[in-house]
Amino acid sequence: MSLTLGERPVAEMPASAGCASAACACMCDRDRHLLCPGPKRMLALDGGGVRGAITVAFLEQIEAVLSEHLKRPVQLGNWFDLIGGTSTGAIIAGALAMGFSIADIKRFYFDLAPKVFRRPFWRILGLQTKYDARTLRREIEDIVGTRTLGSEDLITGFCLISKRIDTGSPWLLSNNPRARYWETRPGDNGHIGNRHYPLANLVRASTAAPFYFEPETLPIVEGEKPGVFMDGGVTPHNNPSLRMFLMAVMEAHRLCWKVGPENLTIVSIGTGSQREQIIPDELGMGRTARLAFRTILALMDDIKTFVLMQMQYLGECLTPWRIDSELGTLCGETPAGGKLFRFLRYDVQLELPWIESLGKEVEEEFGRKLTEVDVLRMRSMDDPTIIEDVYRLARIAARKQVDPAHWTGELATWCNERRPAAQLRRLTPRQAKDSAGAMWTAYHKSIGRMLSYIRSRIVRGLNPTEK
């Protein structure tokens, strides 16, 4: 039988595939999502700084399509069994796992980024990080409070990627109660259980991008120095989909989800992609430093493309992306054991020819044709003035890419025909600014946008090959 995205044919599943009420030890929806047998759905969110607004646009469209299909409002935290992210994706994934709607996440995200990525006047680059992490921490704490990774307020599976730099190891941290380090182990070779890690610290750890923010520390062993963590984007898992898949199926993580397109669907959402093109002779002043910096950025893009290549090869891909001229999309390739999951990838390609291929909707949305300077500006990961623009562009792409035919099926059914019961959690709206405050905000935003275009034009002038 052929299944579309996330379909759960409960009536046709053998009794052994469901969780028998007498044997079920799951005490909350989180555990039922992670531990009960049956087909599973996974959502993986890329890192990308302020370009996380692209992710928000796609999630908004997915929520709307599902609500139309089910004829009622849908909570993505109820729909997906595991939601994870890297860096900015970890912030959004955590909010979804806590049961917030996309409307609330959008409002929080659009309010958060300008505060966090505000360029301070008195910071000495090279001696201090570009931004003050205390603002980011306060904003995250406003949402998660004092909750820990083990909190049952996380209504589904949740994970994030960070880099522990004092040991040189990428860390995947999840609320999987079967994880090896979930519980505290006292004594020699002991550790603090992952379930006790504060969510605010974990999310901050995943977003502690080098140069931009100070590292985050977490106590790992009582009486010893804390671990030092940086942004998960400096690992091979800025697109966390492959790592999350391995977490779900490898015996080491003790979830052991079944593979196969009928058993597992993975949805991956990007924050914009482009191919770095570097001609050293055209880099001008500071050529050596700029070449090193641009090469590192190119490496990060190459890793992301490599992960996408593996996912499209291993999975039954419903939304194929071209890898390169030799490989194509890999949709005709099949591993020896067959496809391991269904795979959907949503993203925006921040290159002018691709944007123009979206059609007249782009020109109608922006009131003019976009230029290379517009596209170059949208590639920034720390310029909050691009948020509205990349969001508007992603909304157009989302309407074209999110096919309702891929989003069928029902919510999960567990023991005793139990379905996800978590209620929608709402964010408290921010206090409205008075007229003077609103006017100052608009003025500051206008100046920031103007400076953003000036910087992009300068970079474009210095780098004629910048595409």
Side-chain angles (χ1 to χ4, degrees):
M1 179 178 64
S2 176
L3 299 176
T4 49
L5 171 64
E7 221 171 352
R8 296 178 180 246
V10 177
E12 298 181 33
M13 288 170 57
S16 59
C19 190
S21 58
C24 182
C26 298
M27 301 300 293
C28 60
D29 274 6
R30 174 204 66 196
D31 292 352
R32 296 182 189 103
H33 276 294
L34 288 173
L35 308 180
C36 282
K40 300 294 184 182
R41 305 179 180 115
M42 182 186 299
L43 176 64
L45 307 179
D46 287 15
V50 298
R51 285 177 5 204
I54 293 172
T55 300
V56 171
F58 279 104
L59 290 172
E60 203 171 44
Q61 184 68 17
I62 291 169
E63 187 181 69
V65 166
L66 282 174
S67 295
E68 174 64 24
H69 165 64
L70 296 176
K71 306 302 179 186
R72 62 182 185 276
V74 174
Q75 213 171 328
L76 295 186
N78 283 335
W79 183 263
F80 289 100
D81 300 292
L82 176 62
I83 302 175
T86 300
S87 193
T88 195
I91 296 175
I92 300 171
L96 288 173
M98 284 186 63
F100 291 113
S101 70
I102 301 303
D104 275 337
I105 294 173
K106 175 187 172 183
R107 189 173 67 247
F108 165 74
Y109 197 86
F110 277 46
D111 186 57
L112 165 74
K115 293 179 179 178
V116 171
F117 292 98
R118 182 172 295 166
R119 297 176 184 270
F121 188 76
W122 294 111
R123 291 190 85 77
I124 305 173
L125 295 184
L127 298 179
Q128 296 172 290
T129 55
K130 191 172 184 179
Y131 302 108
D132 189 343
R134 289 176 296 183
T135 303
L136 177 58
R137 176 186 292 281
R138 283 196 301 268
E139 294 295 321
I140 294 173
E141 287 176 346
D142 279 349
I143 303 301
V144 303
T146 59
R147 294 178 179 87
T148 64
L149 189 58
S151 172
E152 292 185 7
D153 285 342
L154 291 170
I155 64 174
T156 189
F158 168 66
C159 68
L160 55 79
I161 306 288
S162 188
K163 170 80 170 184
R164 185 175 175 187
I165 58 174
D166 59 310
T167 60
S169 54
W171 275 37
L172 181 146
L173 289 151
S174 76
N175 64 345
N176 168 22
R178 291 180 180 171
R180 189 178 304 274
Y181 297 103
W182 182 247
E183 299 290 353
T184 297
R185 178 180 173 181
D188 294 340
N189 299 317
H191 60 269
I192 299 171
N194 291 357
R195 67 181 303 168
H196 301 296
Y197 291 168
L199 272 175
N201 293 69
L202 293 179
V203 174
R204 240 287 291 158
S206 186
T207 58
F211 176 72
Y212 294 107
F213 298 108
E214 289 288 342
E216 180 72 10
T217 58
L218 279 170
I220 308 299
V221 179
E222 289 284 356
E224 294 188 8
K225 290 183 178 180
V228 184
F229 292 83
M230 297 203 77
D231 194 297
V234 298
T235 73
H237 314 304
N238 195 48
N239 173 348
S241 55
L242 180 61
R243 185 65 186 89
M244 290 174 62
F245 165 68
L246 295 175
M247 169 191 160
V249 301
M250 292 174 65
E251 290 188 8
H253 296 289
R254 304 175 182 178
L255 289 179
C256 301
W257 288 1
K258 289 185 178 180
V259 298
E262 71 281 6
N263 293 315
L264 177 59
T265 295
I266 301 177
V267 180
S268 171
I269 304 180
T271 56
S273 61
Q274 72 276 347
R275 179 168 294 181
E276 284 284 337
Q277 300 180 30
I278 307 169
I279 299 178
D281 290 342
E282 296 182 357
L283 291 178
M285 186 179 298
R287 175 179 180 274
T288 302
R290 294 174 68 187
L291 179 61
F293 179 70
R294 296 279 298 281
T295 302
I296 292 172
L297 292 180
L299 176 61
M300 292 177 67
D301 286 332
D302 290 343
I303 293 172
K304 188 163 62 174
T305 301
F306 183 57
V307 170
L308 182 60
M309 180 184 77
Q310 294 176 84
M311 295 300 289
Q312 292 193 170
Y313 173 67
L314 296 173
E316 183 179 285
C317 188
L318 304 180
T319 56
W321 289 78
R322 181 177 178 271
I323 304 301
D324 59 36
S325 59
E326 182 175 11
L327 297 176
T329 65
L330 292 172
C331 286
E333 299 273 357
T334 302
K339 295 292 187 179
L340 300 178
F341 47 82
R342 286 191 175 242
F343 180 63
L344 291 99
R345 172 69 175 180
Y346 300 127
D347 202 0
V348 167
Q349 195 168 328
L350 295 173
E351 297 179 354
L352 191 57
W354 187 90
I355 292 173
E356 290 174 339
S357 74
L358 294 176
K360 293 183 178 180
E361 291 180 56
V362 176
E363 187 175 350
E364 292 170 356
E365 175 68 31
F366 288 88
R368 60 181 176 83
K369 289 186 176 181
L370 296 184
T371 67
E372 292 284 5
V373 171
D374 290 307
V375 178
L376 178 59
R377 175 174 163 268
M378 289 182 187
R379 293 178 182 177
S380 172
M381 291 189 289
D382 70 328
D383 180 356
T385 71
I386 74 166
I387 291 176
E388 291 185 9
D389 290 339
V390 294
Y391 169 79
R392 290 157 66 193
L393 181 64
R395 286 290 294 151
I396 297 170
R399 289 193 291 267
K400 296 178 179 295
Q401 293 179 31
V402 182
D403 186 348
H406 298 159
W407 294 84
T408 60
E410 297 293 329
L411 291 173
T413 299
W414 301 307
C415 53
N416 296 328
E417 298 299 310
R418 187 195 302 265
R419 292 187 182 277
Q423 298 300 307
L424 186 66
R425 180 177 283 113
R426 301 309 304 265
L427 285 174
T428 303
R430 303 280 182 174
Q431 186 175 359
K433 295 182 175 67
D434 57 27
S435 57
M439 185 179 299
W440 173 252
T441 298
Y443 174 75
H444 188 271
K445 187 175 180 180
S446 176
I447 294 296
R449 187 178 178 86
M450 180 184 69
L451 293 174
S452 173
Y453 269 102
I454 291 173
R455 287 192 298 270
S456 297
R457 289 191 179 97
I458 291 173
V459 172
R460 174 67 177 163
L462 292 173
N463 294 312
T465 57
E466 184 75 62
K467 297 294 184 184

mmCIF file of all heavy atoms in Angstrom, residues 64 89 104 143 147 257 274 288 300 307 328 347 354 371 391 434:
data_model
loop_
_atom_site.group_PDB
_atom_site.id
_atom_site.type_symbol
_atom_site.label_atom_id
_atom_site.label_comp_id
_atom_site.label_asym_id
_atom_site.label_seq_id
_atom_site.Cartn_x
_atom_site.Cartn_y
_atom_site.Cartn_z
ATOM 1 N N ALA A 64 -1.233 25.754 7.963
ATOM 2 C CA ALA A 64 -2.477 26.087 7.251
ATOM 3 C C ALA A 64 -2.968 24.904 6.429
ATOM 4 O O ALA A 64 -4.175 24.607 6.407
ATOM 5 C CB ALA A 64 -2.243 27.306 6.357
ATOM 6 N N GLY A 89 17.280 27.283 14.448
ATOM 7 C CA GLY A 89 16.308 26.204 14.350
ATOM 8 C C GLY A 89 15.969 25.598 15.688
ATOM 9 O O GLY A 89 14.853 25.123 15.906
ATOM 10 N N ASP A 104 2.236 32.689 17.165
ATOM 11 C CA ASP A 104 2.969 33.168 18.337
ATOM 12 C C ASP A 104 4.471 33.131 18.099
ATOM 13 O O ASP A 104 5.205 34.045 18.495
ATOM 14 C CB ASP A 104 2.621 32.322 19.566
ATOM 15 C CG ASP A 104 1.359 32.825 20.265
ATOM 16 O OD1 ASP A 104 1.025 34.004 20.085
ATOM 17 O OD2 ASP A 104 0.722 32.035 20.970
ATOM 18 N N ILE A 143 10.401 32.731 27.545
ATOM 19 C CA ILE A 143 9.550 31.703 26.955
ATOM 20 C C ILE A 143 9.618 30.401 27.748
ATOM 21 O O ILE A 143 8.589 29.824 28.107
ATOM 22 C CB ILE A 143 9.962 31.425 25.490
ATOM 23 C CG1 ILE A 143 9.906 32.721 24.680
ATOM 24 C CG2 ILE A 143 9.069 30.360 24.871
ATOM 25 C CD1 ILE A 143 8.554 33.382 24.656
ATOM 26 N N ARG A 147 12.173 25.760 33.061
ATOM 27 C CA ARG A 147 11.944 24.381 32.635
ATOM 28 C C ARG A 147 13.255 23.699 32.259
ATOM 29 O O ARG A 147 14.191 24.329 31.785
ATOM 30 C CB ARG A 147 10.991 24.337 31.441
ATOM 31 C CG ARG A 147 9.572 24.798 31.748
ATOM 32 C CD ARG A 147 8.714 24.759 30.498
ATOM 33 N NE ARG A 147 7.334 25.164 30.762
ATOM 34 C CZ ARG A 147 6.908 26.428 30.731
ATOM 35 N NH1 ARG A 147 7.774 27.405 30.448
ATOM 36 N NH2 ARG A 147 5.650 26.716 30.966
ATOM 37 N N TRP A 257 13.324 3.311 16.024
ATOM 38 C CA TRP A 257 12.162 3.456 15.156
ATOM 39 C C TRP A 257 12.326 2.591 13.913
ATOM 40 O O TRP A 257 13.446 2.389 13.418
ATOM 41 C CB TRP A 257 11.989 4.915 14.728
ATOM 42 C CG TRP A 257 11.510 5.817 15.824
ATOM 43 C CD1 TRP A 257 11.246 5.488 17.129
ATOM 44 C CD2 TRP A 257 11.232 7.211 15.709
ATOM 45 N NE1 TRP A 257 10.823 6.597 17.824
ATOM 46 C CE2 TRP A 257 10.803 7.667 16.979
ATOM 47 C CE3 TRP A 257 11.306 8.125 14.659
ATOM 48 C CZ2 TRP A 257 10.450 8.992 17.219
ATOM 49 C CZ3 TRP A 257 10.954 9.446 14.894
ATOM 50 C CH2 TRP A 257 10.528 9.871 16.156
ATOM 51 N N GLN A 274 22.843 29.110 -0.953
ATOM 52 C CA GLN A 274 23.482 29.681 -2.128
ATOM 53 C C GLN A 274 24.845 29.035 -2.285
ATOM 54 O O GLN A 274 25.375 28.447 -1.339
ATOM 55 C CB GLN A 274 23.646 31.205 -2.022
ATOM 56 C CG GLN A 274 24.689 31.689 -1.050
ATOM 57 C CD GLN A 274 24.193 31.784 0.382
ATOM 58 O OE1 GLN A 274 22.983 31.719 0.628
ATOM 59 N NE2 GLN A 274 25.105 31.937 1.322
ATOM 60 N N THR A 288 43.739 38.015 1.963
ATOM 61 C CA THR A 288 44.021 36.762 2.665
ATOM 62 C C THR A 288 42.952 36.459 3.718
ATOM 63 O O THR A 288 42.423 35.341 3.784
ATOM 64 C CB THR A 288 45.404 36.820 3.338
ATOM 65 O OG1 THR A 288 46.395 37.066 2.338
ATOM 66 C CG2 THR A 288 45.704 35.510 4.048
ATOM 67 N N MET A 300 30.784 25.374 4.983
ATOM 68 C CA MET A 300 29.510 25.144 5.654
ATOM 69 C C MET A 300 28.412 24.837 4.638
ATOM 70 O O MET A 300 27.581 23.949 4.846
ATOM 71 C CB MET A 300 29.140 26.355 6.500
ATOM 72 C CG MET A 300 30.056 26.575 7.694
ATOM 73 S SD MET A 300 29.672 28.070 8.636
ATOM 74 C CE MET A 300 28.071 27.626 9.322
ATOM 75 N N VAL A 307 24.759 16.759 3.252
ATOM 76 C CA VAL A 307 23.673 16.167 4.041
ATOM 77 C C VAL A 307 22.425 16.002 3.176
ATOM 78 O O VAL A 307 21.764 14.955 3.201
ATOM 79 C CB VAL A 307 23.360 17.032 5.275
ATOM 80 C CG1 VAL A 307 22.088 16.550 5.963
ATOM 81 C CG2 VAL A 307 24.526 16.997 6.262
ATOM 82 N N GLY A 328 22.488 15.261 -10.284
ATOM 83 C CA GLY A 328 21.081 15.637 -10.414
ATOM 84 C C GLY A 328 20.415 15.679 -9.050
ATOM 85 O O GLY A 328 20.982 16.192 -8.080
ATOM 86 N N ASP A 347 12.947 24.922 1.094
ATOM 87 C CA ASP A 347 14.007 25.922 1.243
ATOM 88 C C ASP A 347 13.830 27.004 0.187
ATOM 89 O O ASP A 347 13.016 26.876 -0.740
ATOM 90 C CB ASP A 347 15.378 25.276 1.105
ATOM 91 C CG ASP A 347 16.498 26.090 1.763
ATOM 92 O OD1 ASP A 347 16.204 27.160 2.336
ATOM 93 O OD2 ASP A 347 17.663 25.649 1.708
ATOM 94 N N TRP A 354 17.082 31.804 -9.532
ATOM 95 C CA TRP A 354 16.093 30.950 -8.865
ATOM 96 C C TRP A 354 14.902 31.780 -8.382
ATOM 97 O O TRP A 354 13.750 31.372 -8.530
ATOM 98 C CB TRP A 354 16.742 30.228 -7.685
ATOM 99 C CG TRP A 354 15.840 29.202 -7.051
ATOM 100 C CD1 TRP A 354 15.736 27.883 -7.372
ATOM 101 C CD2 TRP A 354 14.890 29.426 -5.991
ATOM 102 N NE1 TRP A 354 14.801 27.261 -6.590
ATOM 103 C CE2 TRP A 354 14.268 28.186 -5.729
ATOM 104 C CE3 TRP A 354 14.513 30.537 -5.249
ATOM 105 C CZ2 TRP A 354 13.289 28.039 -4.743
ATOM 106 C CZ3 TRP A 354 13.531 30.388 -4.261
ATOM 107 C CH2 TRP A 354 12.936 29.147 -4.017
ATOM 108 N N THR A 371 17.055 42.786 -7.330
ATOM 109 C CA THR A 371 18.361 42.898 -7.964
ATOM 110 C C THR A 371 19.383 42.030 -7.229
ATOM 111 O O THR A 371 19.090 41.461 -6.175
ATOM 112 C CB THR A 371 18.843 44.356 -7.945
ATOM 113 O OG1 THR A 371 19.098 44.744 -6.568
ATOM 114 C CG2 THR A 371 17.799 45.292 -8.539
ATOM 115 N N TYR A 391 11.117 36.709 4.762
ATOM 116 C CA TYR A 391 9.839 36.079 5.110
ATOM 117 C C TYR A 391 8.859 36.188 3.940
ATOM 118 O O TYR A 391 8.204 35.198 3.571
ATOM 119 C CB TYR A 391 9.256 36.738 6.365
ATOM 120 C CG TYR A 391 7.825 36.342 6.646
ATOM 121 C CD1 TYR A 391 7.529 35.119 7.234
ATOM 122 C CD2 TYR A 391 6.778 37.193 6.317
ATOM 123 C CE1 TYR A 391 6.212 34.746 7.483
ATOM 124 C CE2 TYR A 391 5.457 36.834 6.567
ATOM 125 C CZ TYR A 391 5.175 35.610 7.147
ATOM 126 O OH TYR A 391 3.877 35.244 7.387
ATOM 127 N N ASP A 434 3.934 53.152 23.052
ATOM 128 C CA ASP A 434 3.185 54.379 22.868
ATOM 129 C C ASP A 434 3.569 54.980 21.510
ATOM 130 O O ASP A 434 4.473 54.506 20.826
ATOM 131 C CB ASP A 434 3.442 55.356 24.015
ATOM 132 C CG ASP A 434 4.920 55.681 24.195
ATOM 133 O OD1 ASP A 434 5.674 55.605 23.209
ATOM 134 O OD2 ASP A 434 5.323 56.006 25.330
#
